[in-house]
Every structure is written in structure tokens, then in C-alpha cells.
Amino acid sequence: MGAGGTLHAPASAPTRHSRPAPTHPGAWWLWALSLGTAATRTTNPLLLALLITVSAYVVITRRPHAPWSRSYGAFVKLALAVLLIRLLFTTILGSPIPGTHTLLTLPEVPLPHWAQGIRLGGPVTAEGLAFALYDAMKLATLLICVGAANALANPARLLKSLPGALYEMGVAVVVALTFAPNLIADVQRLRAARRLRGRPDRGVRGLLQVGLPVLEGALERSVALAAAMDARGYGRTARVPAPVRRTTAALTLGGLLGICAGTYGLLTAAGGTYGIPVLVAGVAAALGGLWLGGRRTVRTRYRPDRWDARAWLVTASGVAVAALLFLAAARDPAALHPGVVPLTAPTLPLWPAAAVLLGLLPAFVTSAPENTMGTPVKEPS
Amino acid sequence: MIHFEDVSVTYDGAAEPTVSHVDFEVPEGELVLLAGPSGVGKSTVLGAVGGLVPHFTGGTLSGRVTVAGRDTRTHKPRELADVVGTVGQDPLSHFVTDTVEDELAYGMESLGLAPDVMRRRVEETLDLLGLAALRSRPIATLSGGQQQRVAIGSVLTPHPDVLVLDEPTSALDPAAAEEVLAVLQRLVHDLGTTVLMAEHRLERVIQYADQVVLLPAPGAAPVLGAPADVMAVSPVYPPVVGLGRLADWSPLPLTIRDARRRAAPLRERLSTREIPDHTPPSAAQLPAPPALRPAPARWWRRNSQTTSPTTPTPTPYAAEVRSLAVRRGGVQALRHVGLTVSPGETVALMGRNGAGKSTLLSALVGLVEPSAGSVRAGDAVPHRTAPRDLVRRVGLVPQEPRDLLYADTVAAECVAADRDADAPSGTCRALLTELLPGVTDDTHPRDLSEGQRLTLALSVVLTAHPPLLLLDEPTRGLDYAAKSRLTGILRGLAAEGHAIVLATHDVELAAELAHRVVLLAEGEVIADGPAADVVVTSPSYAPQVAKILSPLKWLTVTQVREALT
């Protein structure tokens, strides 16, 4: 964390043309997913809250000012919804956790005999609620971590790091990603237009009636985009000698077959001996096919994201949190899973908490985002 | 550089060719303007240059198109990508990536240029187009003019020999249009790029053209020549040419500067005449709209005053806005805006892209809720009035008229409009027949031309007979003929007593129609006054006639014609 001192360089050197090299999007994803993995190892609400705080701090200080970064809020809301729904279900449907601290008793709805396993209403115990809360918090933390990755790394840039042969697939995904916001904007615009016709602009019917025009619009836009991409050279291929082409096809197909056969072997009891070698060979052949296939594309990459020391540090901090929590879960499971029967107040185990704090490292080693939207940019005339 | 040899294009399912016997040549390093009324196949000709017609659109192309020696018959669009850069009408549907810098690099990446070359060209293009400050901005956050420049930049980086642009300035405010045109001028003059573009707003582009290719009518053979010669015979021409034709200037002036040099005698003749009066006539009062029903209760809304949307005092204004402020998505779109519109008055809202014109119109139809201040449309508070009642007080034709149309035939659309407005059946159809004779019942709204679609949307809105009529950017994509038809319709409506507010970039339309012009900048009203007073003094918003005849306050060719005859 002592590396913080180097951070001030961009602020003191006002060179407009050098964008501070953004951290590799892959590193952010690995960091966030590692925090998420760490969250699966514990149900201690204090530790989970600490994990959420750590990821939120990094997001707030390091997310770029771009439209996709706003998805963090949506993920937080989703996580809250998960939490609430889980608690609501426990309250209404009861909980398998035996408890003695009854908070309130809901009137129980008698159900017919064929629904015997289900209970509707009845006593709500503190233990049941606590268990549900801990469990839901685990899931919520996981969601928030994914949201953090979305906010910190532009998903489109991550797809740019795909190998050449998969590039076209990557573009398809990028285009789909940019179309979703457009589609939502279309729905909003057309629903507003319904109001202009004197029809109610809310409600399900309104949504259904604009469905067709919205789809038409999306289709037209896709065709326009496809034309624009074609006119800009998308899909140009280099001439590849026929033998190389055939080898590519053979390797890819063979590889996929190998992977299928290997997986089958691993899953059936009889194939334990040949499963692993076939799988490995299949993966190797498929990778070879991908690599050879990459020779068909003439594309080059403009300023690819570099996997630099910072990316390593970011990844390492995330992986360290996950690894240490795995270790802690193995050595001291009681601290990471506070008991609900009997109900005890959870305590913050000291060294797992310190381990979680390691996840803050990216907030200090990566560069602060450029302010690209906040200040009104003067129009050059 | 571009050769068209006897080219005809017939789309699948069409009985007649869209363009036929197009035969012309664009020499290297020239800026050639493709002009003509709507529907003559300008976009088809442009598409044929980049090979998108017929490779992408389908249809049959006979004859031959060659670009830089490459035949488009044997070269697909992607194989022409290094010699032709094409920018379509809507820059937003052109973008593949999401930031400016990546977008500029995209074309070069597809062509497989070396990374150091790409880096150098991106920097050069950023400087050339004045985009350096925006380099890492997400494209969605840019203004219209900036997006158009990014779109042009994105096809410039592979250094194409030919640039093809379809309506590059139609959606832009006057200042942003000049920005884009200055860039094109620079490309032609400094880099020797050949530019072929189509544009409806000839007043903006004609002075930059080296040659004009005129498609006079659908299926007619093109006329190619020097701009002044072609304009002398063209069915579409800018006001400066109109004035020149009226005054019998020869050769025709194409720029304000040339026209002013000739205009001294005309100015002298006109200085003694009276400018035809444009002030609102004492408007016939429209029948009062039926009483408001209470808005449907929305229990989740905390404002309790929902129940009384009307105020007892009747207002003399068709629209009344008092110190209105609107926040939209964290941006202060309007602040402290005041505006009143009387019945029979036509008001033009002007200002940059993003100045808040559309937001103001949206507030008047209750699409956005004010964060402070008050809005009244007649006796209703728009955002608290049920849509069914509101349509009889205020109608808005949105920027994209298609948004208003849901049905798949014109007849069904009209029936739906009658039902929505509680009007006697046949009202909408009668209006449409009056405004746009010759549209059959079974036409699909999508198959109408831009101008026809606008008129259909206008008829739908007018079915409810709203005293206040709002139009957002009505002349986008309209040719001069459609525009003058629209002008006639709107004049008639104003004379009947409708109050009209139009948000527009089209200074010529505002000059023709508006009694009053309101200029908006950054969500504030910066000028509000009679059209002649406001626009004549503004360099960007003055119509061409005003520029030529200033300091006299003549605004349109029609006025001059009336005064001289």
C-alpha cells in the first residue's frame, strides 16, 4: 500500500494526450470474482459486510465516469431485492431451522393434505430469520462483487482481449451489449408517444403495444449497423493456403469431439482411465485450431490493454483474499459460520477480517479515472 | 475517381427502377453535391459508390460503378473499405465501439494496419476534427455535431480516397453544421479527398460544392454541372438562389457575399417598401375543449394536490410557462424558463442541440415533470392531466413522427386516432385528405415519404383539435416542396386560432412561419421577441435573405416577391 505515492504523477503532469493506462479489464474481473469466491466461504454477516464495503470503496474511488459504470447501482438494488425476498419467504413459508425465540406468530393457513410439506404462516423465529439473512447476504455479496467488476471494467474492452479467431463472436456480443440500452430508450420513447395519442402511458398493455414498433426499430438499426460495419471492412479475411484451412477445421472439430468424449469418460465410472488424457488432448487440439484460425483474420489491435504490474497486483490482492478465506474456513470454521442455534451474536474474527482488507489494494495501486463526463467540455469551434 | 456508367438500380419487388441511366464522373479532389427532391434515389446513388447497393440492400444494378479503378460488381463493401468511407444519415447507427478513440481506430483495425500507424493516424484525426478533448469520452454522451464529426473521423482514419456522406448536417444546429462543413472543406482542400454528399439543406452546403449532380425527378437522368448553372434549372434551390432568380441576377450568386455585392440596387428599391405584415391576425377563437376529468388516482404518488388539476381562473394564453426548471437524468435541462403563447401565434424555439428545446416541448405535454415552476397548457396542468383529456388541449408531433404511428395501414391509423380523441368517425381521414390528397387507405405508414409521414402524424394529432400544437424538428428530411406545403398547412392552422410552437434548427422555416422566436441556450431563454428582431442580429440564426438585405429586416423570398409585385 506504500505505492500510493506514485499516484500523483497524472495530476501534476497535465498532458492531455496521455490517457493514464487503464488497468486491464481482466484483472478487475479476476479481483471481483475472487472477492465473490471469498464470500462463498463464510456466512458471518460482519465479514460479508466488510467484503461489500471493500468492493464498494474500490468502485467509488476507481470507477470511470462512463455509462456502463452506472450498473453498480442496479446490482446493489438487485442484491437488496434478493435479501428482502429471502426474508419475506422465510417469514411466510417458515424455516426448517428449529428455533425457540418466536418473534411473532402469523395465522397459519390450513393446506390440503397433498401439500403437506409446505407451511403457510405460523411462528416466525429469530433463528430462522438470522439463518435466512446470513444466507441471503452471501448471495447479495456475490452479486455486488459482479456489479463491481461491471462498473470497473468496460465489458466491451474485456471482449477485445479475445483471441483473433473468436473476434467476430466478441463483436456480436459487444453489439448486443450496446443494443440493450438503445432498446430500453426506444421503449421509453414509444411509451411516452402513447401519451401523445391520448392513451395511458403506463401499465402492461402500453408496454405490449409498443413491442412491435420497438422490435422493428431495433431490427432496422441492426441492419444499418451491419451495413456500416461491412463498409468499414468488418469481416475482411486473409487468403490462407488450403492445407492450413483444412488442418484448422480438423483440429477444431477433433478437439471438440475430444472434449466431449473426455468429459463423458470422466463422468462415467468405467471411463476413469481414458477420461483425463482424452480431455487434455481435446483441449489442446481445440486451442491449436483457434490459434491457426486466427491466421485468417487480418485484424490488428489498437492500443491493446497491457497486463502490467498493476494488473498483477490487482489480481493478486483478490486471489489473496479468496485463498486466505479458504484457509480460514478450513482452520476455524466456527468463526466464519456463526451459529444460529443457539442464537449468538456474530463476532468479527480478527485475521480473516485483516485478510479481507487486502482487497483494498487496487484502490491504491491503480490510477484514478479521468473525469470524462463531469465537467462540461468546451466545444472547439 | 468515381465513375457511374449508365447505372440503373431496381430494388426487389419494385416495378420501376429507383434510379435509371445515371452517368457521371467525379474527378479526384472535388466536393460534389448530390441534390434533388426527396424520393429521387439520392441515397441509392450514394450507396452504390461504397458497394452497399446492391451487395447489402439487394436489388439489381445494371451498368457499372467504379471507384479508384475498382469495380463494385466484383468488390464487396468490405473490400472497398480502404478507398471509400461512407457515413449514413444517422451517425448513431454507424458506431461499433463505445468510446471516441476506439471508434476512430475501428476501421484501421479491420484493415489490419500496423499499431504504430494506427496510433499516429488517430492522433492526427483527433487534431484535424478538433476531437482531442473528447478522445476518451463515451460516444453516447456527445452532442449531435460531435457525433457527426466522430462518424466522419472514423471513416477518415483508413485514409480513403473518397468520402460519401448522406445528409451530414440535416440533424445539426447551424453552428454544428458549420463545424462539420469546415472539416469537409479542409479535407478537400488540404488532403485532396474526393467528397460526394447528399443534402436537403442546400443553403448550408451549396457554396462549398465544386459541382452539383442534380437528380430532377424519379427515374430522370441526372444533370451535372457547375453549381450556378445547375441551380438555374433546379427544382430545389436555397433562398439565396431564389432571391437571385427573382431579381434576375446572372450568373446566380451562391454565397451571401456574392449576393450582397449584387444586392445594392435591390436594397434600395426595397427600402421604401413596407415589409409584408407577419404579426398574428386577430385569431378566431377555437371552441373550448371539454371539461377535464380528474386524473386517475395514483396512490403511490405522494402529491395530494392531484385531485385539482384545474385552476378556476381561465387564462388568455394557450400555453403559459412560469420560471420552469426541469432536471433530467442528473442534468439541469431547463432553468427558470418563462414563455407564454397566445392563440393564433406561432413561436419558433431555436438553439443548439441539447439546449433544452425538446425538454420544453415535453414539459408542455406532460412527458416530464417540472422540478420547479409551473406549466399550463390552456386550463390544464399537463403532467397531472389524464392523457385522454390532454390530447384535446395540446398535441405534439415528435421528432420521429413514426413514433406516433402504430397501425399497419393509413385507414386503421385514422380510425384509431378518432377513437383516441373521441372524435366523430372520419375526422382524421377528412383532415388527412385535406392536408395530403392522394394517399390511399391501404398504404403502410412506413412506405410513406418523410413528408407524408409527418403530415399523417400531424393529422392524427389534429384529430383531437388541440388549441396548442407543438412540433419538434418538423423539417428534418423534408425537401423544399414538402417544406413549403408544411408551411402552408401551419399558416392555415395559425389563422384558425391554433397556437403553434415549433422547435427547429431550420432558420428558413422559422423565418417563414414564426411570429416570435425564442432562443434557448443551456436551458435558459436568452432571447424572446419578434422573429425579425431576434434572428436578423444573430450570425447563426439569420436566414439568408436577412443576411443579404440587412440592415433591412426582410426575412424570406416570399416577402420580397410580394412587395415587388
Side-chain angles (χ1 to χ4, degrees):
Chain A
M1 291 187 198
T6 56
L7 267 183
H8 305 293
S12 59
T15 47
R16 305 196 71 160
H17 283 257
S18 70
R19 67 173 169 192
T23 311
H24 197 286
W28 282 124
W29 273 92
L30 284 176
W31 171 83
L33 290 180
S34 301
L35 288 195
T37 316
T40 60
R41 289 299 100 196
T42 175
T43 52
N44 187 329
L46 297 176
L47 268 184
L48 288 172
L50 192 62
L51 268 171
I52 294 175
T53 317
V54 163
S55 72
Y57 179 75
V58 174
V59 166
I60 287 164
T61 53
R62 285 298 174 261
R63 71 167 156 185
H65 302 269
W68 65 81
S69 314
R70 294 188 205 130
S71 59
Y72 189 66
F75 273 94
V76 170
K77 280 182 201 152
L78 184 67
L80 273 180
V82 163
L83 213 66
L84 285 179
I85 290 172
R86 183 76 165 83
L87 287 181
L88 199 70
F89 268 55
T90 308
T91 312
I92 295 173
L93 297 177
S95 161
I97 304 296
T100 49
H101 300 76
T102 306
L103 293 179
L104 74 161
T105 309
L106 292 177
E108 198 164 338
V109 181
L111 288 177
H113 65 91
W114 46 261
Q116 260 177 357
I118 305 168
R119 200 189 68 186
L120 215 54
V124 179
T125 62
E127 285 88 345
L129 279 184
F131 179 79
L133 178 73
Y134 294 176
D135 210 38
M137 260 188 88
K138 195 160 85 175
L139 190 56
T141 312
L142 200 61
L143 277 171
I144 289 178
C145 285
V146 173
N150 260 310
L152 288 164
N154 182 352
R157 285 200 78 84
L158 181 65
L159 287 162
K160 273 184 87 176
S161 316
L162 284 176
L166 293 180
Y167 161 76
E168 281 161 28
M169 205 181 75
V171 170
V173 176
V174 170
V175 168
L177 282 177
T178 50
F179 260 62
N182 284 338
L183 211 62
I184 293 169
D186 273 0
V187 171
Q188 285 169 345
R189 208 186 63 233
L190 284 163
R191 288 185 77 181
R194 279 178 58 78
R195 193 180 162 85
L196 303 178
R197 285 290 294 262
R199 304 178 192 180
D201 54 342
R202 282 155 222 276
V204 183
R205 260 191 72 190
L207 198 61
L208 287 181
Q209 281 192 352
V210 299
L212 201 62
V214 164
L215 285 181
E216 261 176 25
L219 200 66
E220 267 167 36
R221 220 185 351 236
S222 333
V223 172
L225 179 66
M229 284 171 69
D230 204 5
R232 290 169 72 187
Y234 172 78
R236 274 162 83 109
T237 48
R239 293 201 180 284
V240 180
V244 176
R245 248 189 354 249
R246 279 185 219 118
T247 321
T248 309
L251 276 177
T252 314
L253 274 179
L256 288 178
L257 272 177
I259 290 173
C260 289
T263 318
Y264 177 78
L266 274 183
L267 295 179
T268 53
T273 47
Y274 68 85
I276 289 175
V278 171
L279 185 65
V280 170
V283 169
L287 286 179
L290 271 184
W291 175 75
L292 263 185
R295 289 177 56 175
R296 272 188 79 229
T297 56
V298 292
R299 285 183 55 80
T300 47
R301 283 203 187 128
Y302 174 76
R303 297 181 85 179
D305 289 311
R306 288 210 192 83
W307 191 277
D308 53 4
R310 280 189 195 141
W312 279 118
L313 278 175
V314 169
T315 315
S317 80
V319 171
V321 173
L324 287 173
L325 279 198
F326 264 87
L327 194 65
R331 304 234 340 232
D332 186 12
L336 266 61
H337 298 278
V340 286
V341 185
L343 202 57
T344 49
T347 52
L348 190 66
L350 194 61
W351 74 266
V356 169
L357 285 180
L358 274 182
L360 280 176
L361 189 65
F364 301 96
V365 298
T366 60
S367 52
E370 263 181 298
N371 188 358
T372 53
M373 294 212 324
T375 53
V377 177
K378 238 185 102 190
E379 281 250 5
S381 47
Chain B
M1 185 51 68
I2 308 170
H3 288 263
F4 275 78
E5 292 168 35
D6 194 30
V7 173
S8 303
V9 179
T10 312
Y11 287 116
D12 296 336
E16 283 168 19
T18 307
V19 291
S20 58
H21 307 297
V22 177
D23 199 284
F24 67 90
E25 186 183 327
V26 178
E28 188 175 343
E30 292 215 336
L31 194 157
V32 175
L33 178 67
L34 192 58
S38 8
V40 292
K42 293 194 293 294
S43 296
T44 303
V45 171
L46 293 184
V49 177
L52 289 172
V53 175
H55 288 292
F56 207 88
T57 55
T60 317
L61 185 142
S62 68
R64 198 209 314 233
V65 183
T66 49
V67 185
R70 293 188 204 174
D71 192 335
T72 60
R73 201 177 340 188
T74 50
H75 290 78
K76 286 189 183 148
R78 64 186 76 147
E79 287 145 11
L80 292 165
D82 50 337
V83 291
V84 183
T86 309
V87 181
Q89 283 188 14
D90 178 15
L92 267 184
S93 64
H94 170 93
F95 297 131
V96 184
T97 65
D98 46 12
T99 62
V100 172
E101 205 175 341
D102 291 339
E103 190 61 35
L104 293 184
Y106 177 81
M108 295 189 289
E109 286 183 322
S110 307
L111 298 179
L113 297 184
D116 53 331
V117 177
M118 289 200 278
R119 186 66 205 272
R120 204 180 62 232
R121 288 197 188 165
V122 167
E123 300 299 337
E124 288 166 1
T125 310
L126 285 172
D127 287 338
L128 180 70
L129 303 189
L131 292 168
L134 311 173
R135 60 186 305 154
S136 44
R137 285 265 295 265
I139 288 171
T141 65
L142 300 182
S143 74
Q146 291 168 337
Q147 284 178 349
Q148 190 63 264
R149 280 187 289 153
V150 173
I152 293 176
S154 71
V155 298
L156 272 185
T157 44
H159 285 193
D161 301 321
V162 176
L163 202 55
V164 176
L165 306 164
D166 198 351
E167 306 262 347
T169 73
S170 283
L172 303 183
D173 61 70
E178 269 162 35
E179 213 171 84
V180 168
L181 289 167
V183 164
L184 291 180
Q185 176 91 336
R186 192 155 172 210
L187 292 176
V188 173
H189 283 229
D190 298 354
L191 300 180
T193 313
T194 310
V195 177
L196 178 64
M197 68 167 155
E199 179 62 66
H200 275 311
R201 301 211 174 158
L202 293 176
E203 65 271 17
R204 287 180 172 178
V205 294
I206 190 77
Q207 70 259 40
Y208 299 108
D210 296 308
Q211 286 198 70
V212 175
V213 176
L214 172 72
L215 294 168
V223 180
L224 177 72
D229 301 339
V230 175
M231 280 302 118
V233 297
S234 168
V236 290
Y237 49 86
V240 61
V241 171
L243 197 66
R245 284 188 184 183
L246 187 70
D248 276 331
W249 290 330
S250 175
L252 276 175
L254 298 176
T255 61
I256 302 297
R257 193 158 174 245
D258 288 348
R260 273 195 75 87
R261 285 181 183 156
R262 306 270 180 73
L266 182 66
R267 273 201 295 268
E268 209 152 289
R269 267 172 77 195
L270 287 173
S271 60
T272 54
R273 318 256 170 144
E274 201 166 308
I275 302 175
D277 197 14
H278 242 301
T279 46
S282 55
Q285 271 297 322
L286 292 174
L292 285 171
R293 283 163 287 190
R298 292 185 188 136
W299 54 269
W300 63 89
R301 292 273 175 103
R302 58 198 150 68
N303 42 4
S304 52
Q305 60 276 55
T306 333
T307 43
S308 59
T310 48
T311 41
T313 49
T315 154
Y317 299 114
E320 193 179 2
V321 173
R322 297 251 174 257
S323 51
L324 171 70
V326 173
R327 281 187 78 80
R328 255 181 148 175
V331 181
Q332 190 79 36
L334 290 177
R335 59 192 98 194
H336 209 77
V337 170
L339 175 75
T340 53
V341 189
S342 313
E345 194 178 27
T346 305
V347 175
L349 289 178
M350 305 189 83
R352 273 181 223 117
N353 294 83
K357 303 186 295 290
S358 297
T359 308
L360 182 52
L361 293 189
S362 303
L364 280 170
V365 283
L367 291 179
V368 295
E369 223 170 297
S371 51
S374 71
V375 185
R376 297 267 301 277
D379 57 348
V381 178
H383 62 278
R384 296 215 191 104
T385 309
R388 286 185 71 79
D389 284 326
L390 197 63
V391 284
R392 264 171 270 140
R393 281 163 179 77
V394 48
L396 168 70
V397 180
Q399 212 169 81
E400 184 57 76
R402 205 169 2 168
D403 290 355
L404 272 192
L405 309 174
Y406 304 104
D408 45 13
T409 62
V410 169
E413 203 64 71
C414 285
V415 170
D418 291 339
R419 205 171 46 234
D420 288 337
D422 279 341
S425 67
T427 314
C428 177
R429 182 64 231 196
L431 268 167
L432 183 65
T433 319
E434 189 189 324
L435 300 182
L436 189 74
V439 169
T440 51
D441 269 347
D442 55 351
T443 320
H444 195 292
R446 204 181 325 129
D447 295 333
L448 299 173
S449 74
E450 293 274 352
Q452 290 173 324
R453 201 150 49 215
L454 178 76
T455 316
L456 175 58
L458 187 61
S459 315
V460 165
V461 166
L462 285 176
T463 305
H465 217 70
L468 175 61
L469 179 64
L470 315 172
L471 297 111
D472 196 353
E473 215 48 73
T475 56
R476 190 178 179 177
L478 298 195
D479 60 10
Y480 289 101
K483 223 152 86 175
S484 72
R485 207 157 46 234
L486 178 73
T487 313
I489 294 172
L490 292 183
R491 279 226 183 99
L493 290 172
E496 277 172 32
H498 288 272
I500 300 175
V501 180
L502 27 104
T504 184
H505 291 317
D506 191 335
V507 292
E508 306 296 340
L509 176 84
E512 287 274 353
L513 271 180
H515 306 121
R516 236 167 83 208
V517 169
V518 175
L519 283 185
L520 289 174
E522 295 185 320
E524 291 173 48
V525 173
I526 55 164
D528 181 353
D533 293 347
V534 174
V535 296
V536 166
T537 52
S538 153
S540 327
Y541 294 106
Q544 288 196 312
V545 173
K547 284 180 181 164
I548 296 167
L549 297 179
S550 76
L552 307 179
K553 289 181 177 176
W554 298 80
L555 296 182
T556 62
V557 181
T558 330
Q559 282 180 340
V560 177
R561 185 179 296 126
E562 274 174 40
L564 289 182
T565 49

